[in-house]
């Protein structure tokens, strides 16, 4: 009979079917994959190549292979080290402040009150504003010594106007970043809070825990994976911040971070593509290390959810 | 050790008119295991939460040991509660879960450890003290929740359907263990369940609630043999009591069979539509032609091994009526048989207002 086949033929048939199935799954992914490779991986490899060359555009000179010289430069260059330090400080302070504020706002929004949904939407809006727009709005409408709302408020209480963006360039930028990223942290932490069983809180009440003890001993440990996730995503994004700085201070004292620095060294006027490439490769490697560490946290979070 | 008293306590949820718990009066003796039972929405959990301090008491008062705790927060009531989903603290080990309340009271670590270990020994939890709740089975989690309660040696245990998340077999086993544990510790316990079998088997007394109103409080056997109203009669017992609406104008009969009542019931005084209740075990299948028997056709036979429940369809006041009759196990009765049913035991009569008539 036709239906009766030997075992080996059946195995081959199953294998062929599996192969077909696998191809059918991969095929729809292919366009996106190709696009990603063309726009990210090809430029990356080119940058990698440039980073081992001496290549300046003004005055034009032929590319020249110089090995790791750009990298040794990067680690001895004082300006690069400063920019790296600025990146670390700006990222850390912005992330930490927005997580703390976001947790606070999330705790408030977790209570039931009239107009809760409306307030939540309003609070999310800063995150929806484009970075350049946020930078311009804060520079011109909020911080400006002449027209700024903040200075108007200061004037009302008898304080002289302060040109925030030029006097405190780094902290002005951190302020805007916190304003933009607090809603994001709030969303993640709010999701965590709403995932907490209300009976756990009630159990703590019955067990005699004060609101403070309940928060620190029960709610905060519960929120830990969510906070980690927020810190991870925030760090990955904030380490690349560029728009705000260009718009607000143009890299004024203490506000030049690595992306801006790389930009200054290359298409932003320095035209030294070789060394700028080396700088950016260093940043990529650092970011990959951070992201790998972070992804492990993320998968831990997902596993924890499944087991619970 | 404590007595608990509800004094006309009511809870009206904001935005609703009908109280979730309506003027509940209940006295619970020291060391008693009182079961609150009722269908969903009966207010049994609300009543428990009022006692716990997790719901406001809009009217009336609640006393623990003659101390008015109506407005006291949960932590000032010296109660321990076991939640339906156990509400264990997921990030804490079993030991930390059990010791949490003691830690809040500022009891030193050594003392805490000692008391946790003692409770763990009672509940066979010793090997699991360092595990997280997510690495425990359902039955073990339930025991941790119990352990968290007993570690504190509270005045009152409150249990909100603590067994409903267990599978059927474990539930029956844990039911017995829980009742035994309660008796050994002698702590006053209020136990909420929707399962009337649980209520009957565990409760020293059972309080039946419906729509926030207390229907009856009694020992399980009294609840079963002398239900005070039609609701309790229908709710307690499995399978349920046969309840038949009868026009009482010309004596009380079901499908032609006159219903016998004991001497305390004056049938002649009844008028309008009354309800007759008779439990399946107080009906029997008899030979045709027995006086005052009800003729009908068998529609279903539920064979349980030791006994069988036979559903007999008959005509009563022009409508189909199905009576459930208890028969012996391995009965020869089959679907489609023509049978006669006779009253062989006590019957209950509920007046037009649903209240019990006679003793």
């Amino acid at each position: 009979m036709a239906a009766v086949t030997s075992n080996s033929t059946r195995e081959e048939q199953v294998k062929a079917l599996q192969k077909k199935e696998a191809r059918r799954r991969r095929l729809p992914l292919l366009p996106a994959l190709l696009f990603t490779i063309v726009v990210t991986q090809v430029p990356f490899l080119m940058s990698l190549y440039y980073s081992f060359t001496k290549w300046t555009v003004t005055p034009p000179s032929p590319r020249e292979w110089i090995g790791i010289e750009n990298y040794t430069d990067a680690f001895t260059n004082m300006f690069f080290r400063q920019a790296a330090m600025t990146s670390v400080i700006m990222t850390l302070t912005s992330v930490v402040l927005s997580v703390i504020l976001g947790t606070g706002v999330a705790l408030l929004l977790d209570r039931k009150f009239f107009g809760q949904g409306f307030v939540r939407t309003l609070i999310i809006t800063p995150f929806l504003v484009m970075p350049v727009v946020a930078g311009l709005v804060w520079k011109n409408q909020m911080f400006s010594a002449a027209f700024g709302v903040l200075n108007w408020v200061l004037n009302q209480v008898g304080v002289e106007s302060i040109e925030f963006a030029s006097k405190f360039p780094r902290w002005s930028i951190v302020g805007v970043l916190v304003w933009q990223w607090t809603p994001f942290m709030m969303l993640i932490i709010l999701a965590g809070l709403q995932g907490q069983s209300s009976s756990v809180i009630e159990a703590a009440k019955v067990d005699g825990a004060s609101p403070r003890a309940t928060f620190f001993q029960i709610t905060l440990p519960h929120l830990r994976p969510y906070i980690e996730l927020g810190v991870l995503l925030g760090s990955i994004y904030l380490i690349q911040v560029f728009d705000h700085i260009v718009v607000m201070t143009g890299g004024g004292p203490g506000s030049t971070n690595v992306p801006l620095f790389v930009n200054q060294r290359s298409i932003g006027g320095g035209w030294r593509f070789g060394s700028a490439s080396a700088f950016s490769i260093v940043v990529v490697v650092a970011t990959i290390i951070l992201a790998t560490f972070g992804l492990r946290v993320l998968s831990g979070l997902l596993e924890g959810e499944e087991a619970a | 050790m404590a007595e608990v008293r509800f004094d006309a306590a009511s809870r009206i949820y904001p935005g609703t008119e009908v109280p979730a718990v309506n003027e509940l009066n209940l006295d619970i003796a020291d060391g008693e295991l009182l079961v609150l039972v009722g269908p969903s929405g009966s207010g049994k959990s609300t009543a428990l939460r009022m006692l716990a301090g997790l719901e406001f008491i809009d009217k009336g008062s609640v006393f623990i040991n003659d101390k008015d705790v109506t407005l006291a927060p949960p932590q000032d009531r010296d109660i321990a509660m076991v939640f339906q989903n156990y509400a264990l603290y997921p990030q804490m080990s079993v030991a930390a879960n059990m010791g949490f309340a003691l830690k809040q009271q500022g009891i030193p670590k050594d003392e805490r450890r000692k008391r946790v270990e003692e409770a763990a020994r009672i509940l066979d939890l010793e090997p699991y003290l360092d595990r997280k709740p997510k690495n425990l089975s359902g039955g073990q989690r339930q025991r941790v929740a119990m352990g968290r309660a007993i570690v504190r040696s509270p005045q009152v245990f409150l249990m909100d359907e603590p067994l409903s998340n267990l599978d059927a077999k474990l539930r029956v086993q844990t039911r017995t263990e829980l009742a035994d544990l309660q008796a050994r510790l002698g702590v006053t316990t209020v136990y909420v369940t929707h399962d009337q079998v649980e209520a009957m088997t565990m409760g020293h007394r059972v309080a039946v609630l419906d729509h926030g109103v207390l229907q009856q409080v009694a020992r399980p056997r009294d609840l079963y043999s002398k239900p005070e109203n039609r609701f309790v009669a229908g709710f307690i017992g499995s399978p349920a009591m046969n309840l038949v609406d009868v026009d009482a104008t010309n004596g009380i009969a079901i499908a032609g069979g006159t219903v016998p009542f004991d001497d305390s019931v004056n049938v002649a005084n009844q008028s309008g539509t009354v309800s007759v209740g008779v439990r399946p075990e107080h009906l029997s299948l008899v030979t045709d032609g027995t006086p005052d028997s009800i003729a009908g056709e068998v529609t279903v036979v539920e064979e349980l091994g030791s006994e069988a429940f036979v559903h007999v369809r008959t005509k009563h006041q022009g409508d189909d009526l199905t009576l459930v009759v208890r028969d012996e196990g391995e009965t020869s009765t089959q679907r489609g048989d023509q049978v006669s049913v006779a009253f062989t035991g006590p019957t209950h009569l509920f007046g037009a207002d649903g209240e019990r008539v006679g003793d």
Side-chain angles (χ1 to χ4, degrees):
Chain A
M1 277 198 292
V4 180
T5 49
S6 71
N7 277 344
S8 65
T9 346
R10 170 54 66 89
E11 269 173 31
E12 281 162 23
Q13 284 172 333
V14 170
K15 243 179 212 160
L17 279 174
Q18 278 171 343
K19 236 181 178 172
K20 203 174 156 193
E21 179 66 30
R23 213 177 306 139
R24 200 181 310 165
R25 253 180 259 166
R26 274 188 221 130
L27 202 63
L29 261 176
L30 209 57
L33 193 63
L34 280 176
F35 180 77
T36 311
I37 288 173
V38 169
V39 302
T40 68
Q41 301 311 299
V42 171
F44 176 73
L45 289 175
M46 285 166 72
S47 294
L48 194 62
Y49 167 69
Y50 295 151
S51 73
F52 292 108
T53 64
K54 187 181 165 95
W55 178 25
T56 45
V57 180
T58 48
S61 61
R63 264 203 302 275
E64 201 187 316
W65 183 267
I66 55 165
I68 61 163
E69 200 178 297
N70 283 330
Y71 287 94
T72 51
D73 275 357
F75 287 103
T76 51
N77 186 320
M78 194 189 77
F79 297 108
F80 177 69
R81 284 217 304 266
Q82 253 176 21
M85 208 56 206
T86 301
S87 270
V88 169
I89 290 172
M90 279 206 317
T91 307
L92 271 183
T93 45
S94 309
V95 167
V96 168
L97 287 177
S98 54
V99 163
I100 292 172
L101 282 175
T103 308
V105 177
L107 284 171
L108 291 177
L109 280 180
D110 193 36
R111 295 149 185 261
K112 283 211 164 17
F113 58 88
F114 178 75
Q116 191 182 21
F118 180 69
V119 172
R120 193 169 47 211
T121 311
L122 272 188
I123 286 181
I124 293 166
T125 38
F127 188 61
L128 308 178
V129 174
M130 274 183 295
V132 172
V133 175
L136 283 174
V137 165
W138 275 86
K139 184 188 180 194
N140 296 326
Q141 267 96 342
M142 301 299 287
F143 287 150
S144 156
F147 329 104
V149 173
L150 279 186
N151 277 311
W152 177 80
V153 173
L154 288 181
N155 294 160
Q156 297 305 303
V157 296
V159 179
E160 288 281 302
S161 285
I162 305 165
E163 187 57 82
F164 288 99
S166 49
K167 202 154 185 211
F168 309 107
R170 182 186 285 170
W171 303 116
S172 299
I173 287 163
V174 167
V176 179
L177 293 177
V178 169
W179 176 76
Q180 279 216 281
W181 282 81
T182 294
F184 176 80
M185 302 301 177
M186 183 275 288
L187 274 184
I188 289 182
I189 289 161
L190 188 60
L193 280 175
Q194 291 181 343
Q196 188 177 30
S197 148
S198 63
S199 58
V200 167
I201 301 294
E202 286 178 346
K205 249 191 225 172
V206 173
D207 273 350
S210 64
R212 201 186 137 83
T214 308
F215 177 74
F216 283 106
Q217 292 176 39
I218 289 165
T219 306
L220 207 55
H222 164 81
L223 288 180
R224 203 184 109 176
Y226 296 90
I227 291 176
E228 284 173 348
L229 176 66
V231 167
L232 163 72
L233 295 178
S235 307
I236 288 177
Y237 186 89
L238 286 170
I239 205 143
Q240 314 172 36
V241 156
F242 177 73
D243 320 34
H244 298 84
I245 304 172
V246 168
V247 168
M248 289 177 64
T249 69
S255 69
T256 303
N257 67 353
V258 174
L260 199 81
F261 179 76
V262 170
N263 173 268
Q264 284 171 352
R265 291 295 155 116
S266 54
I267 51 172
W271 307 116
R272 275 172 293 185
F273 289 111
S275 67
S277 295
F279 296 142
S280 58
I281 297 291
V282 171
V283 176
V284 166
V285 170
T287 312
I288 286 174
I289 292 169
L290 189 74
T292 314
F293 167 75
L295 280 179
R296 206 164 294 159
V297 172
L298 185 60
S299 59
L301 170 73
L302 296 178
E303 269 166 34
E305 290 284 296
E306 267 163 36
Chain B
M1 307 300 118
E3 291 140 27
V4 171
R5 183 151 57 88
F6 284 89
D7 186 6
S10 296
R11 171 66 175 137
I12 304 156
Y13 283 112
T16 57
E17 297 280 315
V18 186
V21 169
N22 198 349
E23 300 199 353
L24 179 63
N25 284 303
L26 205 53
D27 276 301
I28 304 165
D30 184 18
E32 184 175 17
L33 198 169
L34 180 108
V35 179
L36 292 173
V37 69
S40 54
S42 61
K44 56 189 188 301
S45 280
T46 308
L48 188 78
R49 292 167 58 84
M50 286 159 75
L51 177 55
L54 296 171
E55 294 286 353
F56 293 115
I57 296 159
D58 294 299
K59 281 182 212 157
S61 338
V62 172
F63 298 86
I64 297 176
N65 249 356
D66 284 327
K67 187 179 151 218
D68 189 343
V69 295
T70 310
L71 299 173
Q75 60 264 33
D76 294 347
R77 297 188 183 203
D78 200 7
I79 42 151
M81 187 156 170
V82 177
F83 291 80
Q84 183 174 3
N85 61 4
Y86 315 138
L88 302 179
Y89 310 126
Q91 297 83 11
M92 293 184 201
S93 67
V94 168
N97 260 284
M98 287 167 63
F100 183 77
L102 302 180
K103 191 175 169 189
Q104 304 311 315
Q105 293 166 20
I107 290 170
K109 207 170 179 182
D110 294 348
E111 165 85 13
R112 242 153 58 197
R113 187 80 206 168
K114 216 179 87 199
R115 282 169 72 174
V116 165
E117 274 167 4
E118 206 177 289
R121 198 165 48 245
I122 297 174
L123 294 163
D124 287 327
L125 281 171
E126 282 164 308
Y128 310 111
L129 280 176
D130 294 322
R131 289 213 202 160
K132 293 278 171 67
K134 70 175 177 190
N135 298 324
L136 297 176
S137 71
Q140 289 163 346
R141 286 182 206 182
Q142 205 279 331
R143 294 214 298 278
V144 176
M146 278 302 301
R148 203 166 60 177
I150 65 176
V151 152
R152 299 177 44 192
S153 342
Q155 301 262 24
V156 188
F157 281 150
L158 309 181
M159 304 197 187
D160 191 1
E161 309 216 16
L163 304 183
S164 61
N165 281 2
L166 300 179
D167 65 58
K169 198 175 167 203
L170 196 55
R171 189 153 59 221
V172 173
Q173 187 195 331
T174 315
R175 191 168 79 197
T176 331
E177 289 171 3
L178 216 81
D180 176 54
L181 184 67
Q182 194 273 339
R184 263 193 295 160
L185 298 173
V187 177
T188 313
T189 304
V190 184
Y191 187 106
V192 163
T193 179
H194 64 271
D195 180 352
Q196 51 97 11
V197 177
E198 231 167 87
M200 297 290 280
T201 52
M202 296 184 72
H204 300 166
R205 283 190 309 151
V206 177
V208 183
L209 282 98
D210 185 39
H211 290 104
V213 180
L214 181 64
Q215 306 291 321
Q216 185 175 0
V217 201
R219 293 186 307 160
R221 67 172 65 170
D222 297 335
L223 214 55
Y224 189 80
S225 60
K226 287 201 170 18
E228 267 170 23
N229 61 36
R230 196 180 189 279
F231 175 82
V232 176
F235 188 75
I236 297 291
S238 171
M241 182 190 276
N242 294 294
L243 281 166
V244 185
D245 290 339
V246 177
D247 181 1
T249 322
N250 300 313
I252 295 175
I254 296 173
T258 302
V259 184
F261 289 103
D262 69 28
D263 299 338
S264 64
V265 178
N266 189 341
V267 176
N269 278 355
Q270 302 302 318
S271 61
T273 302
V274 297
S275 296
V276 174
V278 55
R279 296 212 177 266
E281 63 266 34
H282 299 142
L283 290 173
S284 294
L285 298 180
V286 293
T287 48
D288 284 352
T290 308
D292 279 332
S293 65
I294 302 163
E297 186 188 332
V298 176
T299 53
V300 176
V301 178
E302 293 175 324
E303 179 68 68
L304 298 177
S306 62
E307 57 190 351
F309 291 99
V310 179
H311 294 230
V312 177
R313 187 168 63 204
T314 181
K315 282 265 182 228
H316 172 66
Q317 295 181 354
D319 288 325
D320 274 349
L321 169 74
T322 299
L323 293 173
V324 180
V325 182
R326 182 180 178 275
D327 201 6
E328 279 150 35
E330 297 172 28
T331 177
S332 56
T333 315
Q334 285 179 347
R335 177 182 158 83
D337 286 359
Q338 298 296 326
V339 294
S340 292
V341 177
F343 296 93
T344 54
T347 52
H348 311 267
L349 183 64
F350 303 100
D353 56 357
E355 294 300 314
R356 182 181 187 84
V357 178
D359 290 341

